Amino acid sequence: MLESKPFEIDGITYHVGHLPARDALRVAMRLAQLGGHTFGSLVGVSANDPETVLALLVRGFADAYQAGDVDAVVLKLLSPAHTLGADGRALKLGEPATFDAYFAGRLGHATKVLAAAARHNFADFFGALTTELAGLIVKAAPQKPAPPATPTP
């Protein structure tokens, strides 16, 4: 079901719909690739060094980023999203020209709208994926052998 839900962000109402399942899965997989690579760069880094953490996050994202990600992730994620323009007509945020004009100079705001769209579309995906992977890891982990039985005298 392609449910649409209104979100208010910085005093502006946006309507965000669900992506079709295959599109959502493609976007989720790309987000997982970007996130995995980005957060993987933090392994072994002290949380007490915020400048290094930030630098590694930015570098990890930049290393994983591909030129088509804006269209494949951002515009696809916003394709079922709209808000009302000053004239009362719907502005389709997933259209490249609308996205460029509407969010020009407001990338922080665009990030909030993208986060709302991601939460709406993937609320159960990453939680379910984590649960399933954790279950597989537990099953695959070597089991401790049972202690040898002590002979009874």
Side-chain angles (χ1 to χ4, degrees):
M1 172 166 63
L2 302 177
E3 175 190 349
S4 181
K5 181 177 179 183
F7 291 92
E8 186 171 314
I9 301 168
D10 297 337
I12 301 169
T13 301
Y14 294 92
H15 297 272
V16 179
H18 283 135
L19 291 167
R22 288 181 298 152
D23 287 346
L25 192 55
R26 281 190 283 273
V27 170
M29 289 292 120
R30 185 60 188 138
L31 288 173
Q33 285 176 324
L34 288 166
H37 184 82
T38 301
F39 291 108
S41 67
L42 296 178
V43 172
V45 175
S46 170
N48 295 325
D49 186 2
E51 288 86 13
T52 301
V53 169
L54 180 60
L56 288 172
L57 281 174
V58 170
R59 187 179 81 195
F61 182 76
D63 288 347
Y65 174 80
Q66 296 173 4
D69 284 338
V70 169
D71 290 341
V73 175
V74 173
L75 296 180
K76 181 59 79 176
L77 188 56
L78 292 180
S79 63
H82 72 275
T83 189
L84 297 180
D87 61 0
R89 289 194 283 175
L91 297 174
K92 296 179 181 178
L93 301 174
E95 293 179 357
T98 301
F99 180 88
D100 289 345
Y102 186 78
F103 291 115
R106 302 182 324 141
L107 293 181
H109 186 77
T111 302
K112 292 177 186 179
V113 175
L114 284 164
R119 279 191 304 274
H120 183 61
N121 276 278
F122 308 125
D124 66 339
F125 176 77
F126 289 109
L129 182 63
T130 302
T131 301
E132 291 300 318
L133 289 176
L136 290 173
I137 290 168
V138 168
K139 287 178 187 174
Q143 302 297 316
K144 289 184 181 180
T150 48
T152 14

